[in-house]
Amino acid sequence: MEDYRNKYPGLSSPPEMGRAMLPPDTYTGKTVLITGGGTGLGKAMATEFARLGANIVIASRSAAHHATGLAAVEAAGGKAIAVGMDVRDPEQVARTFDEAERAFGVVDVLVNNAAGNFPIPAVDLSPNGWRAVTGIVLDGAFFCSCEFARRCVAAGKPGAILNILVAYTTGAAPGHAHSAAAKAGVLSLTNTLAVEWAPDGIRVNALSPGIFPHENHGPDMLKQRPDGYEAEWRNVPALRTGRTHELGWAATYLCSPYAAYVTGMDFTIDGAERHRRALRQGAAVPIREQLPPRQADA
Ligand code: NAP
């Protein structure tokens, strides 16, 4: 396959990581709670919020992930705590907000980033697999958002919520029926809660990433990409994949006072992947042919 990067420039690379797009005190004294903030994109966003002065609360299940998240925030010069929490359990969610308040005061920004996903044809997906993914993504975002909003209203403080979706949220996602349905539910929540909570001073936006390689991609996602995630640039009109700090910049803008009138918005950052069409579409390949055979089928 031809390497079109030899012939076309593609979209330019962003400024390097570590550069700030907003004033350095944008989040000074503010508390940002990020579910799944210890790995991948959550960790990248935590780092950018910390660079702008935020106190960070990393909320997820694994102690190992807590450690990597805390180290990344500290390396950026920020302060963070990590709290063990499963987003599917509203009591654990409430306890996490209690701990955040004890450490840093009422939470100002909530990033609903935690997710689970694995590619599988819909007919092979077990009820447990369906419930796991929709529970983390949809139930988790709802429980965290409501806990956050109740506390903002009680404290008489404004707030901002950012829901991390995916570029396929509004289209088809063969092999990802569970994830796509859950993310579409969160997009619906974004719109509805933006309207319900604007009078209370709470903004609700979504950020939909395209392909952003990082070191924490799980084995299920990597199996489909034997050449690695970086090679996915071939599938993006930009002729490159996203850099995780680009997402951090978008997140810090959308939750900042500079976006005070932006709410109910789904901001996509994907190098035009979502809109990609060819002059003549390639062959339609059934999902079973696209995925490696499952153990039971092999
Ligand atoms: P990731 O590294 O696997 O992150 C998922 C995070 O969710 C982990 O830190 C995990 O932490 C946490 N989590 C999972 N189940 C949880 C639960 N029940 N309760 C609390 N936390 C839980 O994946 P990622 O690529 O960074 O994805 C982050 C977000 O970006 C997701 O919403 C994903 O859909 C979206 N996204 C990613 C890409 C991409 O290219 N990477 C593209 C589009 C959208 P623990 O294991 O510690 O619980």
Side-chain angles (χ1 to χ4, degrees), residues 145-230:
S145 298
C146 289
E147 192 62 45
F148 173 76
R150 275 185 220 111
R151 288 171 189 250
C152 286
V153 171
K157 282 182 72 167
I161 296 176
L162 189 64
N163 294 321
I164 306 306
L165 305 180
V166 60
Y168 56 62
T169 304
T170 52
H176 296 280
H178 42 0
S179 166
K183 295 282 188 185
V186 180
L187 177 61
S188 167
L189 274 181
T190 305
N191 298 335
T192 299
L193 300 181
V195 174
E196 282 200 22
W197 294 346
D200 294 311
I202 298 169
R203 296 186 298 112
V204 188
N205 287 299
L207 182 56
S208 293
I211 297 167
F212 283 76
H214 60 72
E215 71 281 11
N216 300 111
H217 283 299
D220 273 335
M221 302 300 276
L222 288 174
K223 238 190 308 187
Q224 301 179 83
R225 299 175 172 92
D227 299 334
Y229 251 90
E230 274 302 339

Side-chain angles (χ1 to χ4, degrees), residues 35-43 45 59-66 85-88 112-117 132 135-137 163-168 179 183 207-218 229 244 247:
T35 65
T39 64
L41 306 190
K43 185 176 73 174
M45 289 185 279
S60 76
R61 300 159 304 168
S62 146
H65 293 163
H66 294 170
M85 174 187 96
D86 189 321
V87 285
R88 291 168 289 187
N112 286 313
N113 164 78
N117 194 8
I136 297 167
V137 174
N163 294 321
I164 306 306
L165 305 180
V166 60
Y168 56 62
S179 166
K183 295 282 188 185
L207 182 56
S208 293
I211 297 167
F212 283 76
H214 60 72
E215 71 281 11
N216 300 111
H217 283 299
Y229 251 90
T244 57
L247 211 64

Side-chain angles (χ1 to χ4, degrees), residues 252-273:
T252 50
Y253 164 68
L254 286 169
C255 297
S256 78
Y258 300 94
Y261 202 52
V262 180
T263 192
M265 167 85 183
D266 173 17
F267 185 93
T268 301
I269 175 163
D270 74 342
E273 185 208 345

Side-chain angles (χ1 to χ4, degrees), residues 6 19 24 30-31 76 90 104 111 124 141 158 182 193 197 211 237 293 296:
N6 295 330
R19 296 276 288 276
K30 303 287 181 202
T31 302
F104 298 130
V111 182
D124 295 331
L193 300 181
W197 294 346
I211 297 167

